[in-house]
Amino acid sequence: MNGEAPEHYNNDEGSLYKVAKERGWNPYLFDIVKRLERSEKKGEFKIDLLKSKFVIDLWLKETEEND
């Protein structure tokens, strides 16, 4: 990167990383929320929804393995 963040990284209203830390989100939840938040901003709505679905499936699989 050349020092300029892409438009979808706009943190004028606060960082998702800050929100995640304050709320104690685990990595799966953070990744899902991040993708959903940025999906329309990036113009890759369907791709990001499918990535979120993949992460949800991974989270479910890990949960089932640990039960």
Side-chain angles (χ1 to χ4, degrees), residues 6-33:
E7 221 174 282
H8 60 273
Y9 278 78
N10 181 331
N11 288 328
D12 289 347
E13 296 179 30
S15 162
L16 280 177
Y17 296 95
K18 182 177 184 264
V19 171
K21 185 176 179 183
E22 288 172 352
R23 295 184 182 185
W25 290 353
N26 69 41
Y28 289 112
L29 181 56
F30 174 74
D31 189 78
I32 294 162
V33 171

Side-chain angles (χ1 to χ4, degrees), residues 35-48:
R35 289 183 191 285
L36 295 176
E37 169 67 20
R38 293 181 180 165
S39 63
E40 291 182 316
K41 294 177 185 178
K42 287 174 38 181
E44 297 177 3
F45 183 72
K46 185 175 180 178
I47 292 169
D48 281 323

Side-chain angles (χ1 to χ4, degrees), residues 42-55:
K42 287 174 38 181
E44 297 177 3
F45 183 72
K46 185 175 180 178
I47 292 169
D48 281 323
L49 287 182
L50 291 171
K51 288 178 182 177
S52 295
K53 182 183 176 299
F54 179 77
V55 174

